[in-house]
Amino acid sequence: MPVRPELMEILACPKCKQPVVLSEDQLSIVCDVCRLRFPVRDDIPVMLIDDAESF
Amino acid sequence: MDSKFKNRVREQFGKTAQAYVQAAHFAGGKDLEEAVRLLQPSQDDNMLDVACGGGHTALYFAPLVRQVVASDLTMQMLKKAQEHLAEEGGFDNVVFREADAEDLPFPAGSFTLLTCRIAPHHFPDVPRALREFHRVLRRGGRMAIIDTLLPSDPEIAEFYQSMEQMRDPTHIRAFNEDEWTQMINDSELILHETLVIPKTHDFQEWAKRAGMNREEIQNLNKFFMDAPQKIHDFFKIESFAGEVETYTDQKLLIFASRKEKEKK
């Protein structure tokens, strides 16, 4: 299940603290500044710098 | 946070998640009652519970606030907390985030209320976590930290640190009240009140919850039994036939807030 859009307001990149966005497929959370992609597992965003994927 | 240590924390709490979620010990208690009395949560509050563990604090506050964001470093713990919450009546105002207390993934000023219970002794850099708490709190936002209190007597403190690390290698260190006061002041939070709350532990249950095996528990039992009388008196160690049954330590509740906007 994707993350509820209203909850994106209280999420930020843990590295740069800038706003993050839902990916197009709504399955991950993306920081365009750090170019990091945070996975979502069992509805829970994994907002850990070390677990994020660089793109 | 150092990624090697972080992985140890995740391993430790991943394997013991179920025991933590089920621990009746955490579900209520004087510390939560006092936190509610001091924080005065309301339906206007947007709350963050950092290092939520089994979700007991989030669950306790959920009916009292608008929304709770519960974060923890360990996914297994979050999943168990999520399941536990659904079983307990499924509040729909609690959401979970896997996050590091020292690198919080929230914009500045997101929360009016912040709690962090029985967790900072696992943080490698508590001042850094406190700077993050300050950042994510809105101006005037209230905060309660509850953690195990390091005794001020050096000999008792040394015993305390050793026995906690024997039980759980991810226990880094507890702090005494003066150290906490200093760290709160350094992070520009306003300290309003501290409370010391005694907590009695069932020794066997407490040791097993951390995933200790029989031999490790026996060694820890011996460490307790061999301790000087001063330590037995301080921790009110109760034993029967050489087996520790209970001991009592102290929790510190810190009530603080972020400064209100200064009027010019």
Side-chain angles (χ1 to χ4, degrees):
Chain A
M1 196 182 81
V3 180
R4 295 215 304 267
E6 64 268 28
L7 292 172
M8 292 301 295
E9 285 173 23
I10 44 168
L11 267 184
C13 172
K15 196 171 174 186
C16 70
K17 317 297 183 189
Q18 296 303 306
V20 285
V21 291
L22 260 181
S23 64
E24 273 180 24
D25 61 6
Q26 303 205 334
L27 295 175
S28 61
I29 290 161
V30 174
C31 174
D32 286 322
V33 179
C34 301
R35 299 190 64 78
L36 289 174
R37 187 185 298 278
F38 300 92
V40 178
R41 296 187 186 126
D42 293 314
D43 302 345
I44 301 174
V46 180
M47 303 303 289
L48 300 172
I49 299 168
D50 290 345
D51 283 23
E53 183 193 326
S54 297
F55 65 92
Chain B
M1 193 186 279
D2 165 31
S3 63
K4 220 165 127 188
F5 177 78
K6 188 169 75 180
N7 288 336
R8 273 172 63 197
V9 172
R10 293 163 88 182
E11 192 186 326
Q12 170 70 15
F13 287 100
K15 73 178 181 188
T16 58
Q18 187 66 29
Y20 272 85
V21 171
Q22 285 173 341
H25 184 75
F26 284 122
K30 190 158 188 296
D31 59 339
L32 284 177
E33 284 168 28
E34 291 291 346
V36 167
R37 181 180 69 80
L38 292 165
L39 292 170
Q40 299 188 355
S42 80
Q43 293 300 324
D44 294 329
D45 280 315
N46 197 13
M47 170 174 158
L48 174 65
D49 183 33
V50 179
C52 67
H56 301 101
T57 308
L59 183 65
Y60 198 85
F61 275 82
L64 310 174
V65 298
R66 191 173 67 209
Q67 179 172 259
V68 185
V69 176
S71 74
D72 201 275
L73 188 58
T74 308
M75 180 54 89
Q76 285 98 320
M77 199 61 109
L78 290 165
K79 281 190 199 168
K80 292 287 176 199
Q82 203 171 35
E83 283 170 23
H84 179 66
L85 208 74
E87 287 160 13
E88 292 289 321
F91 293 105
D92 60 5
N93 63 339
V94 183
V95 293
F96 293 92
R97 305 282 179 255
E98 190 172 9
D100 185 335
E102 296 169 6
D103 288 307
L104 290 173
F106 309 109
S110 296
F111 302 98
T112 55
L113 209 58
L114 188 150
T115 54
C116 182
R117 183 178 181 228
I118 323 286
H121 59 273
H122 296 291
F123 298 171
D125 191 345
V126 173
R128 180 176 169 138
L130 287 174
R131 287 196 296 275
E132 280 290 81
F133 294 1
H134 180 274
R135 184 184 66 80
V136 301
L137 267 177
R138 197 168 153 186
R139 285 186 184 275
R142 297 97 73 210
M143 176 185 95
I145 294 177
I146 300 162
D147 202 13
T148 50
L149 178 62
L150 187 72
S152 49
D153 180 304
E155 192 184 346
I156 300 173
E158 195 187 330
F159 170 85
Y160 186 70
Q161 281 293 121
S162 303
M163 68 93 161
E164 286 284 5
Q165 281 169 350
M166 280 172 82
R167 172 182 178 253
D168 177 354
T170 68
H171 173 105
I172 295 183
R173 62 159 299 189
F175 295 93
N176 65 36
E177 198 166 339
D178 289 345
E179 289 168 326
W180 268 116
T181 302
Q182 187 66 49
M183 290 192 295
I184 295 285
N185 290 337
D186 289 349
S187 60
E188 293 184 23
L189 290 155
I190 305 167
L191 179 63
H192 299 290
E193 197 171 329
T194 57
L195 278 177
V196 176
I197 302 167
K199 192 149 198 170
T200 299
H201 302 265
D202 177 305
F203 180 82
Q204 287 289 331
E205 191 193 299
W206 168 79
K208 283 178 191 158
R209 192 168 64 236
M212 296 179 85
N213 65 32
R214 204 175 144 166
E215 193 188 342
E216 288 164 343
I217 295 175
Q218 278 174 353
N219 288 339
L220 188 59
N221 184 78
K222 187 172 185 310
F223 188 68
F224 269 69
M225 293 307 291
D226 291 348
Q229 191 57 43
K230 178 163 105 172
I231 283 164
H232 277 250
D233 292 344
F234 185 88
F235 291 108
K236 300 184 177 67
I237 298 173
E238 302 271 347
S239 62
F240 181 76
E243 301 285 331
V244 178
E245 294 192 322
T246 61
Y247 80 94
T248 302
D249 66 3
Q250 294 177 325
K251 307 297 169 205
L252 182 68
L253 192 164
I254 298 152
F255 171 45
S257 68
R258 189 177 164 191
K259 268 183 211 156
E260 295 278 358
K261 192 170 182 179
E262 281 165 30
K263 292 187 182 79
K264 285 186 182 169

